């Protein structure tokens, strides 16, 4: 799974996390249904933003269907997004995945350096081009805009090498994401949003390109590969400034967009983009405290180190009896085969205590120590409530 927007469950309320998961699974299933099982490898965190944008602008209720059991959900069913938003997200993701495959072949990355693998990858890329164009046409979008922009990337890089400005290298990516974002206004029934969304998409494309270049810079320099930051002599501080300016611009553009429900869009594009910059460049002295941490603080005039009164609220619950070795091993094997140990909350097969799945324990790099449910930091309105975790937010209409 790739993409710069990677929200962890600690930064999303329960409602927003469920909605985000529904769009992610909806994108994956739309790729499978329209383009086959192999196309599911094009599922990415950034592509689902297209589906989220369409739904956030639509005046109709969220379109959901119940998907069957999936190993990545611990063999559980779940409501997933469907409709034009998911299909557009799938078409865009597949078209951009074909571009990414060609880039790997051209750079000779890993197995792509081998001729048989490279030949097969080129065939897959050509097939994905055709498939994405067909499914996009159904929802009125032309993926040729994306592919044409990608085809100009080589010329843009040559111009930068010859002494052109850094942002010349990001221009094709900006054009592609701007077109995809703008079309969500058409599908969402709010064509007047297209201009502002195109601006948000343009800056999102710039951000994604610069963050990718910053992450790969050391490796590219070691391997002698082309990197826009290296070629232009852009310092790390300047690259960070450009990224944070892009985040700020996205927030300003979103203020001009009319949404039916802006909560998830605001969380992903106004906040998670900033988290992506922090992940690459480090935090700038921001302290991500939680509303619940404040709520649980000791009242003034009391000793914070004094023992808490006993909590009898759960005394009525009878503890489960631990399993012995053989039954525990049998249950462990069954849970492992259905991915429950990896992907969802479960009872420990031996002690029977409640546990989080491995993926849930390692799905973020945020400091959630001492935080009991800090996903409420930014509530269901997508905004902040009595906390400083959203410090520096320009678009949530709150005081943080």
């Amino acid at each position: 799974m790739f993409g710069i927007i990677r929200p962890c469950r600690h930064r999303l309320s329960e409602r927003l996390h469920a909605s985000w998961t529904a769009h992610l699974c909806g994108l994956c299933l739309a790729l499978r249904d329209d383009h086959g099982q192999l196309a599911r490898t094009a599922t990415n965190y950034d592509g689902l933003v297209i589906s989220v944008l369409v739904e956030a602008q639509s005046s109709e209720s969220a379109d959901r269907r119940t998907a069957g059991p999936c190993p990545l959900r611990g063999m559980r069913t779940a409501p997933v997004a469907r409709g034009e938003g998911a299909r557009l997200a799938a078409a865009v993701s597949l078209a951009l995945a074909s571009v990414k495959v060609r880039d790997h072949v051209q750079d000779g990355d890993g197995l792509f350096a081998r001729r048989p693998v490279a030949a097969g990858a080129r065939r897959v890329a050509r097939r994905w081009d055709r498939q994405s164009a067909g499914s996009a046409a159904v929802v009125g979008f032309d993926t040729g805009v994306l592919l044409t922009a990608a085809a100009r990337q080589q010329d843009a890089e040559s111009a930068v090498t010859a002494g052109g400005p850094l942002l010349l290298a990001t221009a094709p990516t900006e054009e592609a994401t701007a077109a995809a974002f703008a079309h969500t206004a058409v599908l969402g029934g709010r064509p007047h949003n297209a201009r502002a969304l195109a601006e948000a998409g343009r800056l999102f494309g710039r951000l994604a390109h610069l963050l990718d270049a910053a992450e790969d810079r050391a490796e590219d320099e070691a391997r002698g590969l082309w990197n826009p930051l290296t070629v232009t002599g852009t310092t790390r501080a300047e690259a960070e400034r450009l990224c944070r300016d892009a985040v700020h611009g996205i927030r300003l553009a979103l203020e001009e967009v009319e949404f039916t429900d802006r909560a998830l869009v605001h969380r992903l594009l106004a906040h998670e983009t900033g988290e992506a910059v922090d992940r690459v460049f480090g935090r700038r002295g921001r302290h991500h405290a939680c509303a619940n941490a404040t709520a649980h603080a000791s009242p003034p005039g009391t000793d914070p180190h004094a023992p808490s009164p006993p909590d009898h609220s759960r005394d009525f619950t009878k503890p489960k009896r631990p399993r012995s070795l053989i039954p525990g091993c049998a249950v462990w094997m069954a849970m492992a085969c259905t991915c429950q140990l990896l992907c969802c909350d479960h009872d420990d097969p031996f002690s029977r205590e409640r546990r989080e799945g491995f993926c849930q324990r390692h799905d973020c790099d945020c400091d959630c120590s001492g935080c009991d449910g800090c996903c409420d930091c930014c509530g269901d309105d997508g905004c902040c409530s009595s906390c400083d975790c959203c410090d520096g937010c320009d678009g949530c209409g709150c005081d943080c």
Side-chain angles (χ1 to χ4, degrees):
M1 201 79 70
F2 56 94
I4 65 172
I5 296 182
R6 310 169 194 171
C8 77
R9 61 202 301 263
H10 304 100
R11 293 196 297 264
L12 293 177
S13 68
E14 183 177 353
R15 181 179 77 90
L16 295 187
H17 186 268
S19 179
W20 180 81
T21 303
H23 285 285
L24 181 62
C25 294
L27 169 59
C28 180
L29 294 178
L31 285 165
R32 181 202 66 182
D33 295 342
D34 291 346
H35 311 296
Q37 292 287 354
L38 181 61
R40 299 175 81 171
T41 58
T43 303
N44 66 95
Y45 294 130
D46 294 345
L48 69 87
V49 172
I50 301 297
S51 179
V52 172
L53 282 170
V54 173
E55 184 175 283
Q57 297 173 82
S58 177
S59 57
E60 300 177 359
S61 59
D63 192 5
R64 297 284 188 270
R65 70 180 177 91
T66 301
C70 174
L72 297 181
R73 292 192 299 267
M75 299 307 294
R76 297 175 180 177
T77 61
V80 300
R82 65 177 179 180
E84 292 184 330
R87 298 196 72 177
L88 176 61
V92 171
S93 296
L94 198 65
L96 296 180
S98 71
V99 174
K100 196 175 186 70
V101 168
R102 286 191 180 89
D103 288 342
H104 285 312
V105 172
Q106 182 176 349
D107 294 341
D109 295 332
L111 292 176
F112 291 97
R114 300 184 179 182
R115 288 186 178 180
V117 175
R122 291 191 188 96
R123 286 196 296 271
V124 169
R126 288 194 294 269
R127 183 170 75 246
W128 282 358
D129 286 345
R130 295 191 301 269
Q131 290 177 329
S132 62
S135 60
V138 175
V139 293
F141 183 69
D142 181 13
T143 57
V145 177
L146 309 182
L147 300 178
T148 301
R152 295 205 322 272
Q153 186 65 45
Q154 188 65 41
D155 293 336
E157 292 178 359
S158 298
V160 171
T161 303
L166 169 64
L167 295 185
L168 191 61
T170 68
T173 305
E174 293 179 23
E175 181 182 336
T177 51
F181 272 47
H183 195 68
T184 66
V186 177
L187 297 184
R190 300 181 189 271
H192 55 279
N193 285 340
R195 183 176 179 179
L197 285 172
E199 177 65 8
R202 183 181 68 82
L203 293 171
F204 183 81
R206 175 185 298 180
L207 177 64
H209 195 119
L210 291 176
L211 288 179
D212 182 64
E215 282 189 304
D216 296 343
R217 185 171 191 170
E219 182 179 353
D220 288 345
E221 290 176 351
R223 297 176 57 191
L225 298 178
W226 193 91
N227 186 290
L229 301 180
T230 303
V231 170
T232 58
T234 303
T235 64
R236 182 178 177 85
E238 175 63 11
E240 179 181 359
R241 184 191 66 79
L242 290 171
C243 288
R244 296 198 185 278
D245 284 350
V247 172
H248 181 70
I250 291 172
R251 291 171 176 171
L252 293 179
L254 290 179
E255 289 183 5
E256 302 177 14
V257 181
E258 180 184 358
F259 291 110
T260 303
D261 181 358
R262 69 169 54 242
L264 186 57
V265 171
H266 177 81
R267 180 67 243 184
L268 297 181
L269 292 179
H271 291 287
E272 290 301 326
T273 49
E275 291 290 339
V277 177
D278 289 341
R279 190 164 53 243
V280 174
F281 295 101
R283 301 194 184 278
R284 295 193 308 177
R286 291 180 358 189
H287 176 61
H288 285 235
C290 300
N292 287 355
T294 303
H296 293 159
S298 301
T302 62
D303 182 3
H305 303 290
S308 302
D311 181 9
H312 299 288
S313 60
R314 300 180 182 178
D315 286 355
F316 62 88
T317 304
K318 184 177 180 180
K320 297 179 180 179
R321 185 176 180 180
R323 294 187 179 94
S324 58
L325 179 62
I326 295 179
C329 289
V331 173
W332 183 91
M333 184 172 295
M335 295 175 73
C337 291
T338 55
C339 292
Q340 294 182 57
L341 294 177
L342 284 176
C343 304
C344 57
D345 292 342
H346 59 274
D347 289 342
D348 185 273
F350 295 96
S351 68
R352 305 184 74 176
E353 296 177 353
R354 199 64 179 164
R355 307 285 190 192
E356 284 187 335
F358 176 86
C359 298
Q360 294 170 325
R361 296 195 305 271
H362 298 80
D363 67 349
C364 71
D365 56 2
C366 60
D367 181 11
C368 299
S369 58
C371 174
D372 182 14
C374 64
C375 54
D376 294 330
C377 238
C378 288
D380 283 348
D381 60 351
C383 196
C384 320
S385 55
S386 66
C387 68
D388 60 359
C389 67
C390 302
D391 183 32
C393 171
D394 300 295
C396 35
C398 56
D399 297 329
C400 59

